[in-house]
Amino acid sequence: MIYKAHLVLFFDTTAIMDAYFLRGKYHYEFGAYNQALQDLNIYLMANEEDHEAFVMRGECYARQSEYSLAADDYTKAIAVKTDDPTYYFDRGFFYIQLEEYKKAQVDFKKAILYMHPDTKLTYFNLGIAEYRLGNKEDACKYWKNAGDVGLDYLLKYCQ
């Protein structure tokens, strides 16, 4: 009697997952967001601590105006890397798009706390969140801190 041998192949799963990440990054950089999402979804099943992959997937969602999904991915990235001001800034922007101004306010304040490199733009967006929350005085204060970035808002709403 002849027994069939079972062939078991062992793959380097790390290399395979890295290939999904790299291909996802390639698709993202060339604007093929659906393909990037497919690859990043597979990659993130095995790499739940990769904040950069969550950010990239979040950016793919944002490019498709899926701001809720983008904010969710940035929340996952922040859970891994809690002190990145850009993550708070970007998520705050998504919250503004979703009209979740209280959440945006919190994120822009954290972006300032962690010293986001574009301070003026951060203050400008914080002013928008404050204004939408009905805090005109605070909004005007933040727009003044934004300098020339928020000048049109300052002149329009803070006279």
Side-chain angles (χ1 to χ4, degrees):
M1 178 186 250
I2 299 175
Y3 293 99
K4 292 184 180 179
H6 290 86
L7 180 61
V8 178
L9 298 176
F10 293 95
F11 293 102
D12 181 0
T13 56
T14 302
I16 292 171
M17 288 298 114
D18 288 348
Y20 277 108
F21 175 79
L22 292 173
R23 190 170 69 176
K25 183 176 181 179
Y26 170 84
H27 287 309
Y28 168 76
E29 289 175 355
F30 285 94
Y33 302 119
N34 285 329
Q35 291 91 337
L37 285 169
Q38 291 172 4
D39 289 335
L40 292 169
N41 286 339
I42 293 168
Y43 173 78
L44 284 166
M45 285 191 293
N47 296 284
E48 296 176 347
E49 297 296 314
D50 189 336
H51 57 94
E52 292 175 356
F54 281 118
V55 167
M56 192 181 312
R57 189 172 72 175
E59 286 297 316
C60 289
Y61 286 130
R63 300 290 175 121
Q64 297 176 332
S65 300
E66 295 286 347
Y67 297 112
S68 182
L69 294 171
D72 289 346
D73 272 350
Y74 271 77
T75 298
K76 292 171 185 170
I78 289 169
V80 176
K81 189 173 182 185
T82 60
D83 62 348
D84 191 312
T86 303
Y87 294 176
Y88 290 102
F89 178 89
D90 291 350
R91 187 175 68 175
F93 176 78
F94 303 144
Y95 285 144
I96 283 182
Q97 302 307 308
L98 295 166
E99 299 180 2
E100 295 183 29
Y101 302 114
K102 185 67 179 163
K103 289 179 180 180
Q105 174 197 51
V106 170
D107 276 355
F108 289 126
K109 286 182 178 181
K110 284 191 178 180
I112 291 167
L113 176 70
Y114 291 124
M115 295 183 273
H116 187 272
D118 193 342
T119 306
K120 290 182 177 184
L121 189 56
T122 307
Y123 277 114
F124 172 75
N125 285 324
L126 178 55
I128 291 173
E130 292 289 355
Y131 189 83
R132 296 294 183 182
L133 288 169
N135 305 328
K136 182 179 175 183
E137 188 175 310
D138 287 340
C140 291
K141 176 181 77 174
Y142 292 127
W143 285 331
K144 287 178 186 172
N145 287 340
D148 58 348
V149 173
L151 192 57
D152 54 339
Y153 278 79
L154 188 61
L155 294 175
K156 193 176 200 179
Y157 298 107
C158 301
Q159 295 182 0

